[in-house]
Amino acid sequence: MSAFVEVDHIDRIFPLPNGESYIALKNIELKINKGEFISLIGHSGCGKSTLLNIIAGLDRPTTGGVILEGREVQKPGPDRMVVFQNYSLLPWKTVRENIALAVDRVMRHLPKGERKGIVEHHIDIVGLRHAAHKRPAELSGGMKQRVAIARALAIRPKVLLLDEPFGALDALTRGSLQEQLMKICQENEVTCVMVTHDVDEALLLSDRIVMLTNGPAAHIGQILEVPIPRPRQRLDVVNHPSYYALRNEMLYFLNQQKRAKRTKAKQPIAIGRNGLEKVNLDIGFIPLTDCAPLVVAKEKGIFARHGLEEVNLVRKPGWRALASDMASGQLDAAQMLAGMPLAMTLGMENQPSVPIVTALTLSRNGNAITWSKQLYDQGIRSLEDFKRSMLADSDKVHTFGMVHPTSMHNLLLRYWFASHGIDPDWDINLTVIPPPQMVSNLKAGNIDGYCVGEPWNSRAVYEGLGVVMATDLDLWAGHIEKVLGVREAWANQYPQTHLALVTALLEACEYCDDRRNREEILELICRPEYVGSAPEYTRPGLLDPYNKGTGEPVQLLDYNQFYVDRTNCPDRTQMLWVMAQMARWGITPFPKNWVEIIERVCKIDVFSEAARSLGFLDTERDRAPIQLWDGEVFNPDDPIGYLSQVAIKRDIQIQEIMLANDDTPTPSPSLRKIA
Ligand SMILES: Nc1ncnc2c1ncn2[C@@H]1O[C@H](COP(=O)(O)OP(=O)(O)OP(=O)(O)O)[C@@H](O)[C@H]1O
């Protein structure tokens, strides 16, 4: 289904009087569905109004465009009405006349009586019958804004655009108008885009909240889905289990933008020192137990010992945001999902190819599949039970959360279901949810279960909301989980820095696997700036026996595996398995030249040099067929043969993938389909 409004890769560059130019917006891409309420939020000057004006047709983008119902927006039109903060009413006309003016102008083809009826109806919608004869000077701010909303709605626009509509109102009036707007939009199925600075307003009104980064070159940093059912009451919203998690995400994002601005202001792009080309690094991570090597390297001074004196660990709220910051070059490096370097290099989800390299596997294992307590209490305690209940009630579609298409969580969950003949695309719903929001979504009943890293499984067990159906030790002990990723261009530009980074993190990985250090690591990762979790539910698996919620806790060795058993060398065989699974599910094409792509992504030479400098074992794991718990064999010498015989799969594209020689991000996918 095509989107109702499509903001298609917009840039807006303003020429400045001194002959220079200012890039306000960079590569904004957004699809809006009919009847959806979208809020745009971000710091002052980031470009919210510029984007709104472009959607309205009041301004034109420098590149890209806006498509409304299949037609490009070229100029303002009555199908897109804007409500501004300052009401813009004609002072000499009454409420009724202000509304009538717009209706008579736009709907002049309608009989007079009908137009009059529309005006009166909208006076009623906003509750201004008693003041219909008054002029703006006789109205309060809230009343004036209601007139502006009525005037905008009366001409039945396809999209209502609101630029901080309640910004000038007192708190009480604001609250009541927000509720009225929500009701009006819902009853009339209005598609809305609203600029706001107010996180609570955004949460109350929106289906999705689009958060813009600070300019210059502002882009979409993150999009939050608000899974709170409608119709909404303010109290229901505040009491919804996902409310505080969402609110925290927004505040965290906004604070981080503020910090980034300060850091940018005081830092030159690259500070070279200690024989390194760059010692000031921003490294992205996600609040998960397996971010431990990064936290340890920072807090125990390991980065600094390797010459990386100014490392800033940037907590990202979800994997999409992290990938986007890596693609745009805002991050120097990141903890990445195993499939992310390959997928970004191949160009996933119609995104341009951004070659990423990895010289270090940061961790193995550490995930589990959690089921809601409700399913478990209904007697659904195995996949066989699940399949039986699914077949018995074909109307009920279960939804499961995973963190990103390229994650082992997605690939293992799909594999798990498919191994029992359950098609993960047709028989169930899979939805992307950032790891820290899994538990609140389970609590809210939005999902029936999920696959995620710790501590988010243990938290559900701890809170009595879920039970662990399988850890990945049950499915595939020793699989690659998180890797260190940097842009290939960055690695080429800063080779000594890259080596120092890999060396420091390898040393930290070894530290993390020494169980004597685990108590200290627990304290470090639970800090609010890292995972921000409670030690009670972060301990299991890391230190304490692991509690699945279904029996006695068990001691899991190597659940979060950071160093032992040759964890760290980029694992080309397992990367190939990941690449094949991503192709199986249509996430990326499978490259005919897979050997070349894997060689390009996995930087074994950098790892070996780092390992040797520490006196560590520098070899890769043995290349052998891969077998998960179900016994099916993946032969790394014949991935295409595996893909052709695997039972449940999507249309697999097998292509020669031509990557640019210049390893900077390319504006369009450099894929050439030959099969
Ligand atoms: N005509 C223009 N010429 C040059 N720069 C402009 C022009 N219009 C906007 N800008 C710049 O573009 C950036 C985005 O402006 P915009 O008004 O869209 O921000 P905003 O997020 O809506 O801010 P606020 O929340 O304060 O209203 C700002 O840095 C602004 O100075």
Side-chain angles (χ1 to χ4, degrees):
M1 194 182 73
S2 63
F4 188 60
V5 183
E6 187 168 352
V7 177
D8 188 11
H9 299 93
I10 277 184
D11 289 357
R12 179 63 173 106
I13 304 172
F14 290 110
L16 297 177
N18 62 5
E20 293 181 358
S21 56
Y22 180 79
I23 306 174
L25 297 174
K26 182 81 194 153
N27 204 21
I28 304 282
E29 197 205 350
L30 180 66
K31 291 189 171 76
I32 303 171
N33 298 321
K34 194 160 197 288
E36 206 179 6
F37 198 115
I38 298 278
S39 285
L40 302 176
I41 198 161
H43 285 292
S44 182
C46 72
K48 303 179 291 296
S49 300
T50 303
L51 179 55
L52 198 83
N53 288 341
I54 290 173
I55 299 174
L58 296 167
D59 189 15
R60 297 280 296 144
T62 312
T63 54
V66 174
I67 317 289
L68 169 59
E69 280 197 311
R71 298 180 68 166
E72 188 172 3
V73 169
Q74 306 265 14
K75 55 180 193 260
D79 52 356
R80 284 150 285 125
M81 283 303 287
V82 191
V83 174
F84 295 100
Q85 194 183 103
N86 61 5
Y87 328 120
S88 339
L89 303 177
L90 296 178
W92 59 90
K93 295 216 175 270
T94 65
V95 167
R96 181 174 283 114
E97 288 164 350
N98 263 289
I99 301 174
L101 195 71
V103 172
D104 290 341
R105 186 166 40 86
V106 176
M107 300 176 155
R108 61 174 78 98
H109 55 286
L110 294 182
K112 198 170 171 194
E114 203 172 319
R115 277 182 272 151
K116 198 164 173 308
I118 292 171
V119 172
E120 297 306 318
H121 173 64
H122 285 84
I123 289 174
D124 286 337
I125 281 188
V126 296
L128 282 179
R129 170 123 328 266
H130 63 286
H133 58 284
K134 293 191 174 173
R135 294 195 165 75
E138 302 167 90
L139 304 176
S140 70
M143 289 162 92
K144 282 188 245 186
Q145 198 55 302
R146 279 191 271 165
V147 181
I149 292 173
R151 183 182 53 182
L153 286 176
I155 60 164
R156 297 184 188 140
K158 291 178 179 158
V159 187
L160 181 64
L161 301 156
L162 304 133
D163 197 345
E164 290 189 62
F166 312 127
L169 305 177
D170 64 88
L172 223 59
T173 315
R174 188 184 176 102
S176 120
L177 260 194
Q178 285 165 346
E179 276 163 23
Q180 285 182 40
L181 176 68
M182 184 160 59
K183 193 160 167 278
I184 293 169
C185 288
Q186 189 149 334
E187 285 171 2
N188 298 281
E189 287 182 56
V190 187
T191 307
C192 273
V193 182
M194 177 181 75
V195 167
T196 180
H197 280 111
D198 181 336
V199 291
D200 293 309
E201 179 170 284
L203 279 169
L204 176 71
L205 296 173
S206 319
D207 297 304
R208 285 188 295 154
I209 300 169
V210 175
M211 298 194 276
L212 293 178
T213 63
N214 282 344
H219 57 275
I220 295 178
Q222 197 187 344
I223 300 183
L224 278 185
E225 304 251 356
V226 184
I228 305 177
R230 293 184 188 275
R232 292 176 186 167
Q233 298 294 331
R234 191 179 295 274
L235 259 185
D236 299 341
V237 170
V238 176
N239 290 328
H240 192 270
S242 63
Y243 178 76
Y244 281 99
L246 291 169
R247 196 172 190 280
N248 284 344
E249 280 310 334
M250 291 170 77
L251 293 177
Y252 185 84
F253 177 88
L254 293 170
N255 282 334
Q256 203 174 46
Q257 291 303 312
K258 221 188 281 174
R259 273 201 303 274
K261 200 172 178 177
R262 279 204 296 268
T263 319
K264 241 184 237 163
K266 71 173 195 282
Q267 271 189 357
I269 300 288
I271 304 172
R273 215 182 285 143
N274 309 327
L276 307 181
E277 304 89 353
K278 190 174 196 299
V279 299
N280 56 324
L281 304 187
D282 284 333
I283 306 181
F285 74 98
I286 301 288
L288 286 160
T289 299
D290 58 21
C291 72
L294 287 96
V295 175
V296 161
K298 162 103 178 157
E299 295 293 332
K300 302 292 295 176
I302 301 175
F303 282 137
R305 234 181 310 119
H306 288 274
L308 300 167
E309 292 172 353
E310 296 177 34
V311 170
N312 177 30
L313 294 186
V314 185
R315 193 175 86 165
K316 300 303 297 178
W319 292 107
R320 281 197 197 283
L322 181 138
S324 141
D325 280 4
M326 278 300 289
S328 67
Q330 296 213 358
L331 291 172
D332 293 286
Q335 170 202 31
M336 279 193 166
L337 295 159
M340 211 173 240
L342 284 170
M344 289 180 72
T345 300
L346 296 174
M348 64 173 289
E349 293 177 334
N350 298 323
Q351 293 293 310
S353 154
V354 180
I356 300 283
V357 295
T358 176
L360 186 71
T361 305
L362 285 165
S363 63
R364 291 175 187 257
N365 311 323
N367 304 318
I369 298 173
T370 291
W371 218 242
S372 75
K373 189 79 177 18
Q374 216 176 352
L375 274 191
Y376 189 78
D377 289 345
Q378 284 165 16
I380 302 175
R381 298 181 177 195
S382 65
L383 264 186
E384 286 78 19
D385 294 339
F386 180 77
K387 193 170 178 184
R388 256 195 308 278
S389 98
M390 200 181 81
L391 293 174
D393 180 3
S394 54
D395 288 345
K396 165 89 183 132
V397 179
H398 291 89
T399 301
F400 292 86
M402 48 81 181
V403 304
H404 194 261
T406 67
S407 72
M408 287 307 269
H409 318 88
N410 181 35
L411 303 181
L412 284 175
L413 198 58
R414 284 172 172 274
Y415 193 104
W416 193 59
F417 279 115
S419 71
H420 283 67
I422 299 168
D423 189 310
D425 291 309
W426 293 106
D427 297 330
I428 56 168
N429 259 338
L430 286 182
T431 181
V432 172
I433 298 177
Q437 290 174 31
M438 285 293 183
V439 179
S440 57
N441 275 278
L442 189 73
K443 191 171 181 181
N446 300 328
I447 49 176
D448 300 286
Y450 52 72
C451 184
V452 74
E454 293 296 341
W456 308 116
N457 297 290
S458 293
R459 180 169 184 180
V461 173
Y462 179 78
E463 293 187 5
L465 298 168
V467 294
V468 169
M469 302 303 291
T471 70
D472 47 17
L473 295 184
D474 304 320
L475 306 180
W476 180 11
H479 72 73
I480 48 173
E481 176 50 35
K482 301 291 165 16
V483 299
L484 173 71
V486 300
R487 279 173 46 238
E488 188 183 62
W490 186 97
N492 291 341
Q493 193 177 359
Y494 308 118
Q496 291 309 314
T497 298
H498 186 208
L499 179 61
L501 177 63
V502 173
T503 312
L505 283 169
L506 179 56
E507 192 179 327
C509 283
E510 193 221 13
Y511 190 90
C512 289
D513 248 2
D514 186 333
R515 296 188 83 78
R516 289 168 301 183
N517 302 326
R518 288 277 172 100
E519 207 56 73
E520 179 195 13
I521 290 167
L522 177 71
E523 186 276 317
L524 288 175
I525 62 173
C526 285
R527 290 185 187 172
E529 65 271 35
Y530 298 126
V531 184
S533 53
E536 291 77 6
Y537 59 76
T538 313
R539 293 182 74 90
L542 190 67
L543 266 156
D544 285 358
Y546 191 77
N547 186 3
K548 289 186 173 180
T550 54
E552 282 303 298
V554 284
Q555 193 70 52
L556 296 185
L557 289 177
D558 304 335
Y559 181 40
N560 279 117
Q561 180 179 321
F562 298 107
Y563 176 74
V564 295
D565 198 16
R566 284 185 285 168
T567 291
N568 307 105
C569 185
D571 191 327
R572 289 176 286 196
T573 313
Q574 292 198 10
M575 282 294 213
L576 184 58
W577 183 91
V578 167
M579 195 186 237
Q581 295 299 322
M582 292 197 298
R584 175 183 180 181
W585 303 117
I587 298 163
T588 48
F590 189 83
K592 280 188 169 175
N593 50 338
W594 46 273
V595 175
E596 176 197 336
I597 300 286
I598 293 219
E599 288 302 316
R600 187 155 165 183
V601 168
C602 296
K603 303 304 280 181
I604 308 285
D605 52 337
V606 178
F607 170 80
S608 298
E609 199 175 341
R612 279 198 302 275
S613 75
L614 293 170
F616 291 178
L617 203 59
D618 70 344
T619 51
E620 193 174 355
R621 283 184 163 197
D622 300 332
R623 182 178 158 81
I626 291 174
Q627 210 171 2
L628 276 64
W629 85 99
D630 63 338
E632 194 166 275
V633 176
F634 173 79
N635 175 2
D637 292 328
D638 186 18
I640 295 178
Y642 168 84
L643 286 173
S644 60
Q645 58 79 33
V646 75
I648 301 181
K649 60 188 166 194
R650 304 285 76 86
D651 283 341
I652 296 173
Q653 296 177 44
I654 298 177
Q655 305 174 357
E656 187 85 15
I657 306 283
M658 312 292 283
L659 293 179
N661 279 333
D662 168 19
D663 49 9
T664 49
T666 46
S668 60
S670 47
L671 303 178
R672 185 162 62 91
K673 189 169 176 180
I674 61 167

